[in-house]
Amino acid sequence: ALFWTTKAKIIIRSHVIFGPNVTIITGDHPTNIPGKYIMEITDDEKPVECDANVIIEDDVWIGSNVTILKGVHIQTGAIIAAGSVVTKDVDAYTIYGGVPAKKIKDRFTPVQLKCHIQLMQEQMRK
């Protein structure tokens, strides 16, 4: 895996699983500074909006060869399909995939989700 950050944080909660070759990058390069080559711009010169935290909540599965870019929040129980590039937030208990990643489907029916959440809460109390 490659987790790359300079000014932002990567926050990974509990019970998260990763496939091989996952990349998380919390920043990018400014491209609008006149008179400078992109490769010459230092971290100190980067605008604040070039970096943003990546948050991965509980019970998430990130498939192999997934890339997660700055500012993404992957909510509880989500699954990211192998080879995806995640550029936007991911809803709880959904499956996302593709380049860029989009919602494929929900993990559970509404009844199943209610049952799952109740069972997980009971398990956490033990």
Side-chain angles (χ1 to χ4, degrees):
L2 172 65
F3 293 4
W4 196 328
T5 184
T6 56
K7 294 184 176 186
K9 294 179 182 177
I10 298 171
I11 300 165
I12 302 169
R13 305 281 187 224
S14 299
H15 301 98
V16 175
I17 57 175
F18 291 92
N21 302 313
V22 171
T23 300
I24 301 175
I25 302 172
T26 64
D28 60 19
H29 299 283
T31 59
N32 59 351
I33 298 180
K36 287 239 177 188
Y37 292 108
I38 295 170
M39 66 177 284
E40 291 179 340
I41 300 168
T42 66
D43 256 1
D44 293 334
E45 296 171 307
K46 285 172 64 173
V48 172
E49 61 272 9
C50 285
D51 293 275
N53 293 346
V54 168
I55 302 170
I56 302 172
E57 296 291 348
D58 297 327
D59 186 30
V60 169
W61 177 16
I62 309 292
S64 64
N65 298 305
V66 168
T67 298
I68 302 169
L69 299 179
K70 74 173 186 172
V72 168
H73 183 177
I74 300 175
Q75 295 183 30
T76 300
I79 297 171
I80 310 299
S84 299
V85 177
V86 186
T87 61
K88 305 233 185 271
D89 292 351
V90 173
D91 298 326
Y93 298 104
T94 57
I95 300 171
Y96 274 62
V99 180
K102 293 183 178 11
K103 182 179 174 182
I104 297 170
K105 67 180 190 174
D106 294 320
R107 277 185 60 193
F108 302 109
T109 67
V111 172
Q112 289 172 326
L113 179 58
K114 183 177 179 181
C115 179
H116 175 75
I117 291 171
Q118 183 178 10
L119 290 169
M120 296 307 293
Q121 288 172 342
E122 289 172 11
Q123 185 177 347
M124 287 175 60
R125 280 180 252 172
K126 292 180 181 180

